[in-house]
Amino acid sequence: MPGMGFYSSLRHRLPVALAATALFLALSSPPHTALALTELKKEPAVEQPKDPADTVDDEPVPEDDVTGGATTLPMPDPLIKKPGDDTTADGKDQPEIPAVIITDLSTLPEPVKKMRVALVEAAASGDIERLRPLLGTGEDQTQVSVGDAPEDPIAALKSLSGDQDGREVLAILLDIISTSAALVDKGTPQETYVWPYFAEKNLDTLTPPEVVELYRIVTAGDVTDMKEFGGYNFYRLGIGPDGKWKFFVAGD
């Protein structure tokens, strides 16, 4: 049986053993406290306001576009013609300017009236040479045939006539220039007064008096052929607003 000395010694060593056991358990236990801290929901960080001086725009503003501290955008100039102005909204060409029929020949511009009178007088004379001084030259040369310009326009007109003196051609000229006129391409560099006005009209829309007037120039059979063709295709004569004789040709 142990003596008193044994129990005394045991009392002194027990606290030390209990302390050591507690320390061992503390070190060997799972770190529950550390895991709990890491699983806590963190509060969002508050973003500190930036200094305006440190702010840089993504795209620099050109110096030329800054006026009084405000950015200005260029506005379109309505006076500048842009591609596509010559077309309609659906992409089609603008419609042609319709011809103006002039029945009162006294309203023609003075230069046009003077040339017309000179042509009437020359044709009525029966002498085709009287047309020569009225013909344009150079860049303003009067067109009397389709294709290349002939060296002698009067000789070319004679060759188109049914007689050797060119009087048939003079008769045709006199007939067509006695009708009303049609003003085409008004307001453009190509503006021209054209005889006969039938050249610029739909033949199916002619009134009875206009049909009679057309029959004075061509036959009924010719008119039928023209309608099948799609329009007047006999001789026509043109005078510019400046009084220059531009053409006297047959065809469409």
Side-chain angles (χ1 to χ4, degrees):
M1 182 174 183
M4 294 299 294
F6 171 79
Y7 290 107
S8 176
S9 176
L10 181 62
R11 285 197 302 269
H12 288 290
R13 281 186 275 181
L14 183 59
V16 174
L18 292 174
T21 301
L23 179 61
F24 172 80
L25 292 174
L27 294 175
S28 61
S29 299
H32 297 296
T33 304
L35 289 174
L37 290 176
T38 57
E39 291 173 358
L40 290 176
K41 184 178 180 180
K42 295 183 179 180
E43 293 294 331
V46 179
E47 185 178 358
Q48 297 296 326
K50 296 182 180 179
D51 188 342
D54 297 334
T55 303
V56 179
D57 294 338
D58 294 337
E59 296 183 1
V61 179
E63 295 182 359
D64 294 341
D65 290 344
V66 179
T67 304
T71 303
T72 58
L73 298 177
M75 298 299 292
D77 189 341
L79 298 181
I80 297 177
K81 187 176 181 180
K82 295 169 282 300
D85 284 355
D86 293 334
T87 60
T88 58
D90 57 2
K92 296 181 180 180
D93 293 337
Q94 292 283 4
E96 295 182 359
I97 302 173
V100 179
I101 305 303
I102 302 174
T103 57
D104 185 359
L105 299 182
S106 65
T107 63
L108 294 171
E110 284 301 319
V112 178
K113 285 195 290 187
K114 288 181 180 180
M115 175 56 75
R116 177 181 175 276
V117 170
L119 289 170
V120 168
E121 292 176 346
S125 72
D127 182 3
I128 198 170
E129 281 294 333
R130 290 188 58 175
L131 292 179
R132 193 179 293 278
L134 306 178
L135 294 167
T137 58
E139 294 182 355
D140 298 325
Q141 183 173 359
T142 305
Q143 182 184 1
V144 296
S145 63
V146 178
D148 297 335
E151 294 183 4
D152 186 347
I154 296 299
L157 288 175
K158 281 185 176 182
S159 67
L160 298 173
S161 183
D163 65 296
Q164 61 181 6
D165 297 317
R167 290 176 181 143
E168 182 186 42
V169 168
L170 293 177
I172 294 171
L173 188 156
L174 188 60
D175 281 342
I176 67 174
I177 208 171
S178 298
T179 70
S180 299
L183 174 58
V184 300
D185 297 324
K186 183 179 180 180
T188 72
Q190 293 76 38
E191 183 173 324
T192 308
Y193 293 85
V194 178
W195 283 267
Y197 68 97
F198 307 113
E200 302 300 328
K201 288 200 69 172
N202 184 339
L203 299 183
D204 290 325
T205 66
L206 298 181
T207 64
E210 289 174 336
V211 172
V212 172
E213 191 174 15
L214 178 57
Y215 285 165
R216 294 176 57 189
I217 302 173
V218 294
T219 67
D222 293 331
V223 174
T224 299
D225 292 340
M226 288 180 184
K227 289 181 178 180
E228 292 179 356
F229 174 78
Y232 177 91
N233 58 5
F234 194 50
Y235 278 92
R236 67 187 69 199
L237 182 148
I239 302 175
D242 55 1
K244 293 178 180 178
W245 184 13
K246 300 178 71 172
F247 57 82
F248 177 50
V249 292
D252 57 351

